[in-house]
Amino acid sequence: MNTQLDLGVIGLGVMGRSLALNFADHGFSVGGADLNQAFVKLFADEVGDSSRGFTSTHDLATNLTRPRRLMIMVPAGKAVDAVLEELLGVLEPGDIVIDGGNSHYKDTERRIALASERGILFVGAGVSGGEEGARRGPSIMPGGSEEAWDEISAALHAIAADGPDGEPCCDWLGGGGCGHAVKTVHNGIEYAFMQAICETYALLKGPMGLDADAIASTFGSWNSGDMKSFLLEITETIFKVRDSGSDARLVDMVLDEAQQKGTGKWTAEMALDLGVPCPTLAEAVFARGVSSRHTIREALSSGHPNPTASDTNSLTVQDLRDALFATVVLSFAQGLDLIASASDVHGWGVKLERVAKLWRAGCIIRISFLDRISEAMRGAGSRHLLLDPWFADRVAEALGGLRRAVSAGALQGVGCPVMASALAYYDTVRAARLPHNLLQAQRDAFGAHTYRRIDRDGVYHTDWLGDGQTRAL
Ligand code: 6PG
């Protein structure tokens, strides 16, 4: 048996095993390692003869061709540190470690520095697409030690999903932790996209009174043209699944408490840290938080009734389609702005055009207009999506629907935090003048924090609450 395997995958849980089998399908001999013997057996039983399973990372590493290429697929956090520490004791300068989990980009930056002390090249690669994506073609977002790219690009390109033009949805994104930062923001957009669909469902079901079949066919009919997307596709299917133990649809029997593993929160934290406005992405995280406070919601649901029936307005299905479209576009706009700002601050060199390209297939947020986003981000200085004429026009057309959807939600007591925040974002980000002249005056009045004027340079302080005197500082 040829013991010199092409590459290794450490962690043979669902995602690791699926990726390892995907590599094997594409002609690579793969060493799969896991401490759990049952996982190793499952992998070894399914993979071809040229690949092998190991219960020891050390044994795996000694059976790889040089430079060794190892992909870590273990839960983010301490487990990645533990595997890396073990690997650093075995690997040699020039060997490559790829972390394919949902790691925090700051952890990735720390690991790149740690690995580079030993001459090891560390790559943080976001991988999206769930189990099916990992097995048949995920979207892969790699960044980190660029010298590694030549050695790993063929293997990653081989297993990645193909975009509509046949190009693999995997491309080098830049330095440092940018691969994991881009994946984190992908998930922030995923949270907002999913929440926007849920709010649309609430309005279709409540104010519009549609039943499950009509909701399924409505979502299905929207899943074409500019809104063709994975999330709409699965939503249509979900509404058709019947509960085996009752006459109900299964979705109606699911407890309405959303869980989360933390990447949406990381996106909001990143936005707050960098001062980038991503209110819609943050609202989607808070919306999951509200849903999980089930006991409080139950207690408050009596005694705080819905508005009276007369508080209604006319809302159409087309309005809701437009509201969803505008909210999703504005979520992408915020996420891309965040990636661009993070890249500027950290010096990663991420090109938004590439990010959009590798989200076109394989990942959870894939939607047909990503081709257009890639085009829109090509020109220098055009990094805000609303500066692109096509997106500006489409959002402007959809805005009446968004306004009516948010109004209907407000008037009828159906909370739509993500849609409302997208609308407020649009109305403020496009305003040449905001009321923050007053805010600056307030800060200066109570804290002497100073302000600048619109008609001349300089920094000023006024004794607003005293004699009204102004000093130039
Ligand atoms: C993907 C997903 C995936 C994520 C799940 C669950 O791109 O394949 O983003 O990485 O882990 O969607 O995330 P939550 O548990 O936070 O909803």
Side-chain angles (χ1 to χ4, degrees):
M1 178 183 290
N2 175 16
T3 55
Q4 295 301 289
L5 299 160
D6 293 327
L7 47 92
V9 175
I10 300 172
L12 295 175
V14 172
M15 290 296 284
R17 185 172 73 250
S18 301
L19 278 179
L21 293 170
N22 191 347
F23 280 122
D25 281 351
H26 288 88
F28 295 92
S29 55
V30 187
D34 202 295
L35 293 175
N36 183 328
Q37 294 203 359
F39 283 6
V40 176
K41 184 171 180 331
L42 206 61
F43 167 69
D45 286 350
E46 212 174 324
V47 78
D49 287 344
S50 58
S51 297
R52 291 170 61 193
F54 299 84
T55 47
S56 138
T57 302
H58 181 274
D59 290 349
L60 166 64
T62 54
N63 279 286
L64 295 176
T65 54
R66 283 167 177 70
R68 299 174 176 103
R69 295 171 297 174
L70 285 141
M71 190 146 182
I72 304 179
M73 292 302 299
V74 301
K78 289 194 171 85
V80 179
D81 285 321
V83 172
L84 181 60
E85 195 184 316
E86 214 184 330
L87 285 175
L88 291 181
V90 193
L91 300 183
E92 290 163 8
D95 288 343
I96 298 161
V97 178
I98 307 165
D99 173 16
N102 275 339
S103 290
H104 195 290
Y105 79 90
K106 288 185 179 165
D107 284 336
T108 303
E109 305 228 303
R110 174 175 56 74
R111 289 168 188 145
I112 289 171
L114 183 69
S116 79
E117 285 171 15
R118 312 275 179 93
I120 310 295
L121 307 175
F122 193 90
V123 174
V127 177
S128 176
E131 180 183 0
E132 183 62 15
R135 184 70 185 84
R136 307 278 164 217
S139 162
I140 308 176
M141 299 151 238
S145 303
E146 189 159 8
E147 309 92 280
W149 183 232
D150 276 352
E151 297 289 345
I152 59 174
S153 56
L156 294 184
H157 281 159
I159 63 161
D162 288 334
D165 53 4
E167 272 188 54
C169 288
C170 170
D171 202 355
W172 188 253
L173 287 177
C178 76
H180 281 137
V182 167
K183 175 63 190 352
T184 294
V185 177
H186 164 286
N187 283 25
I189 297 171
E190 173 184 304
Y191 275 47
F193 199 154
M194 292 169 76
Q195 174 68 22
I197 293 175
C198 291
E199 291 174 13
T200 308
Y201 153 52
L203 291 169
L204 285 170
K205 186 177 175 181
M208 311 247 6
L210 267 55
D211 65 13
D213 282 330
I215 292 173
S217 61
T218 301
F219 281 124
S221 69
W222 294 346
N223 182 30
S224 64
D226 297 333
M227 275 226 287
K228 186 157 181 50
S229 55
F230 171 74
L231 286 171
L232 278 180
E233 182 188 321
I234 62 163
T235 302
E236 178 189 8
T237 308
I238 285 168
F239 276 101
K240 291 180 178 164
V241 177
R242 290 177 187 276
D243 181 32
S244 58
S246 70
D247 291 339
R249 297 299 158 117
L250 182 54
V251 69
D252 288 327
M253 306 306 289
V254 174
L255 184 67
D256 53 339
E257 282 186 25
Q259 300 189 327
Q260 52 188 311
K261 295 200 195 75
T263 45
K265 185 189 86 164
W266 289 352
T267 305
E269 285 173 350
M270 239 172 111
L272 288 169
D273 286 347
L274 295 168
V276 181
C278 296
T280 310
L281 309 188
E283 277 297 350
V285 185
F286 288 128
R288 289 196 189 193
V290 173
S291 83
S292 69
R293 310 194 107 203
H294 206 260
T295 316
I296 293 173
R297 289 196 286 120
E298 293 247 299
L300 292 175
S301 64
S302 57
H304 295 87
N306 275 330
T308 53
S310 59
D311 290 339
T312 62
N313 66 355
S314 57
L315 180 69
T316 66
V317 170
Q318 179 64 31
D319 284 340
L320 290 179
R321 186 258 173 222
D322 290 348
L324 178 59
F325 177 80
T327 303
V328 172
V329 171
L330 292 165
S331 301
F332 272 94
Q334 293 172 25
L336 292 167
D337 192 14
L338 179 55
I339 291 171
S341 303
S343 179
D344 284 351
V345 167
H346 295 286
W348 291 330
V350 175
K351 294 201 165 40
L352 296 181
E353 173 193 345
R354 285 192 187 185
V355 172
K357 264 195 158 175
L358 53 80
W359 285 348
R360 292 177 306 161
C363 71
I364 305 297
I365 60 171
R366 60 188 187 256
I367 183 164
S368 46
F369 62 56
L370 275 156
D371 256 330
R372 288 185 184 277
I373 294 188
S374 185
E375 282 288 314
M377 293 298 147
R378 192 164 293 165
S382 60
R383 78 182 189 186
H384 199 287
L385 204 51
L386 290 179
L387 293 173
D388 176 74
W390 189 87
F391 282 101
D393 289 351
R394 292 296 85 70
V395 170
E397 284 164 14
L399 220 68
L402 179 58
R403 290 192 195 285
R404 284 186 288 278
V406 171
S407 305
L411 290 172
Q412 302 197 28
V414 180
C416 299
V418 156
M419 283 187 188
S421 117
L423 179 57
Y425 172 78
Y426 179 85
D427 280 336
T428 50
V429 83
R430 73 184 172 85
R433 187 132 170 101
L434 287 169
H436 295 75
N437 47 328
L438 172 59
L439 194 136
Q440 282 295 82
Q442 290 167 330
R443 291 178 70 247
D444 192 45
F446 66 66
H449 294 298
T450 74
Y451 60 93
R452 289 184 294 135
R453 294 180 57 96
I454 57 174
D455 56 347
R456 53 179 189 261
D457 287 342
V459 175
Y460 300 90
H461 166 62
T462 297
D463 186 6
W464 301 86
L465 310 179
D467 61 11
Q469 290 292 310
T470 294
R471 275 185 299 134
L473 301 166

